[in-house]
Amino acid sequence: MNHSWVEINLGQLRKNIRSIRSAVNPGPEIIFVVKADAYGHGLLPIAQAASEESVRWFTVAYLDSAIALREILPEAHLLVMGYIDPQQIDLLFENRILPIITDLEHGLALASEARSRRKVLDVHLKIDTGMGRLGVQWDDVAGAMEKLNSAGGLNVTGVCSHFAKVEPNAPVDATLQAERFKVAMECVPPTAFKHLSSSRAALYFPEWDFDGVRQGIDLYGYGAADPAGRFLTSPILEWKTRVVQVKSVPPGFPVGYYGTHTTEYPTQIATVAVGYADGYNRSLSNRGDVLIGGRRCAVVGRVSMNWITVDVGPDANVKVGDVVTLIGRQGEEAIWASELSQICRTIPYEILTSINSSLKRKYIEQ
Ligand SMILES: Cc1ncc(COP(=O)(O)O)c(C=O)c1O
C-alpha cells in the first residue's frame, strides 16, 4: 500500500505491433527498440510478448541488455546501438550479438580483435547523416569502408543512420539526411540490411522504410495518435498507487513543504503514496492531476520524496486504500505520459523511463 506499481497491458502491445505491421507490410522488419529497460516497461516481458507476435529484431543501448535478451530469444537478431568495447568481442561471438561500428577507429579495433581470434565479426555500420552523434560521417564512408575491407575481420551486414528531426509538413532536414544515407549506401555491400527511420519517420514516410524500421515510442503507444499517420497505437503502461491518508481541512490551510499551496475553501486533502524518488516529477507540484474514483484531482503543494498531496474536494468520499491513477485511465478520464511531459517541459520518453525500475511491474493481457 505504501508503494506505487506499474501495470503493463501486453494485449495492447500486441495490438500496437499488429497495427504497425499491417501498415508497413509487406516490407520492412520492425526493429523493436527496447533500450532503457524497454522505455521503463521491463525488458524481458516486453521482448517476449513482441517475439510471440513474430518481431524478429530487437535493439538496445548496452551489451548486458542484449545478453539478457539472448537468454530468452535464441533466434532473434540483437543489435547494440551503443559503443561496445572491442575487448568484449568474445561476448559478441558467444551470444551472436551485432554491434554497430561507431567510427573508423572503433571498427578497426573490433577488426583487429576479430582477426586475432581468426574469426569474422558481423557488424552494422552507423553513419552520421546529420544527427551529430555516433557514426562515421556520411561523406567519409567510402574511405572508411576501404580501410575496414583491407583490415579484414569484419563483415558489414548492415548499415544504419538516425534522423535528428522529422517534421511531416516540412521534411527538408530529414530529406537531406535520407539523401546522404543513400549516397553512403553506395559504398557498402548491396546486400547490407539498411535501416534509417525511427517512430516518427515510420509514421509519415514509407519511402524511408528500407529493410527495417527502428521503432520504440510508437510501440509503447505514444506519438502515433494522428489519423493522418500510417498507423495508430495506444499507451500500454498505467502507473497506480493508493491513498494513505485523508484529512478535512479549513480554508487557509498550508499544504506541503514551504506551504506553496494554501486551501481557499474547506476541503479534504488526500496523501498519496508516490514521490519524486519513485520518478514522479517534482515539476508536477501544484500543476499535475491524478485520477481518484474516476475524477481528476489536483496535486497541491510540493511533490515530496515519497508522497504527494491531492485536493479531493469537500464532498468526495475518498478513503484510505483507494486506488490513485497517476498515468492511465479511470472511466472516462485519462492522464497519459504526454500530458505529464507537457507540464514538466519534457517528452513522454523521459516520463516513462524515469519511473523507478524497482517498482513492481504487473503484466496483464487485456
Ligand atoms: C538510434 C536510435 N534509433 C531508434 C530510436 C527509437 O526512437 P523512437 O522511440 O522515437 O522510435 C532511438 C531512440 O532513442 C535511437 O536512439
Side-chain angles (χ1 to χ4, degrees), residues 91-103:
L91 290 170
L92 297 177
F93 284 120
E94 274 163 37
N95 294 285
R96 290 169 288 120
I97 289 167
L98 285 162
I100 65 161
I101 295 177
T102 55
D103 58 25

Side-chain angles (χ1 to χ4, degrees), residues 241-257:
T241 186
R242 291 189 191 274
V243 172
V244 291
Q245 190 198 57
V246 185
K247 65 169 75 177
S248 295
V249 301
F253 185 83
V255 182
Y257 283 119

Side-chain angles (χ1 to χ4, degrees), residues 33 35 39 81 126 133 162 198-200 214-218 349:
V33 184
K35 63 188 176 136
Y39 290 30
M81 294 191 293
K126 178 79 173 248
R133 205 171 62 176
H162 190 45
S198 50
S199 294
R200 200 164 158 77
R214 295 186 312 272
Q215 287 170 287
I217 201 71
D218 55 6
Y349 303 66

Side-chain angles (χ1 to χ4, degrees), residues 101-347:
I101 295 177
T102 55
D103 58 25
L104 177 60
E105 193 188 337
H106 182 228
L108 291 174
L110 280 169
S112 152
E113 294 296 332
R115 279 196 321 273
S116 70
R117 289 160 178 79
R118 297 181 190 287
K119 288 183 174 174
V120 176
L121 181 70
D122 287 348
V123 298
H124 283 202
L125 177 70
K126 178 79 173 248
I127 302 174
D128 185 353
T129 55
M131 177 70 179
R133 205 171 62 176
L134 298 176
V136 175
Q137 280 308 116
W138 66 278
D139 47 358
D140 290 341
V141 171
M145 279 304 295
E146 226 176 272
K147 293 192 178 91
L148 291 171
N149 283 337
S150 54
L154 298 184
N155 186 15
V156 178
T157 58
V159 59
C160 56
S161 188
H162 190 45
F163 285 121
K165 175 179 174 189
V166 178
E167 291 295 352
N169 298 320
V172 49
D173 301 287
T175 305
L176 179 63
Q177 283 195 255
E179 292 308 318
R180 290 173 171 174
F181 188 59
K182 285 180 200 157
V183 169
M185 275 185 328
E186 285 167 18
C187 313
V188 302
T191 51
F193 182 90
K194 302 167 189 74
H195 48 111
L196 173 60
S197 291
S198 50
S199 294
R200 200 164 158 77
L203 187 62
Y204 295 105
F205 297 102
E207 62 270 38
W208 298 332
D209 281 351
F210 295 101
D211 300 317
V213 281
R214 295 186 312 272
Q215 287 170 287
I217 201 71
D218 55 6
L219 283 162
Y220 303 105
Y222 287 91
D226 175 3
R230 287 160 89 196
F231 45 80
L232 296 170
T233 65
S234 302
I236 67 171
L237 177 148
E238 299 204 357
W239 189 11
K240 299 180 181 175
T241 186
R242 291 189 191 274
V243 172
V244 291
Q245 190 198 57
V246 185
K247 65 169 75 177
S248 295
V249 301
F253 185 83
V255 182
Y257 283 119
Y258 293 87
T260 60
H261 175 81
T262 307
T263 55
E264 287 175 9
Y265 43 82
T267 190
Q268 300 175 85
I269 300 293
T271 300
V272 169
V274 74
Y276 59 77
D278 303 299
Y280 195 77
N281 198 298
R282 203 163 160 275
S283 305
L284 296 164
S285 302
N286 288 311
R287 296 169 77 204
D289 284 341
V290 300
L291 303 177
I292 307 179
R295 288 188 313 126
R296 272 179 182 263
C297 304
V299 174
V300 291
R302 284 197 184 154
V303 171
S304 53
M305 191 181 287
N306 301 101
W307 296 282
I308 58 172
T309 32
V310 173
D311 187 342
V312 295
D315 306 319
N317 183 25
V318 171
K319 292 186 292 304
V320 170
D322 282 0
V323 170
V324 180
T325 296
L326 308 165
I327 296 177
R329 176 178 291 286
Q330 283 192 5
E332 295 298 299
E333 285 286 356
I335 294 173
W336 298 114
S338 37
E339 174 180 330
L340 303 189
S341 69
Q342 277 181 8
I343 297 171
C344 301
R345 292 170 180 263
T346 181
I347 48 178

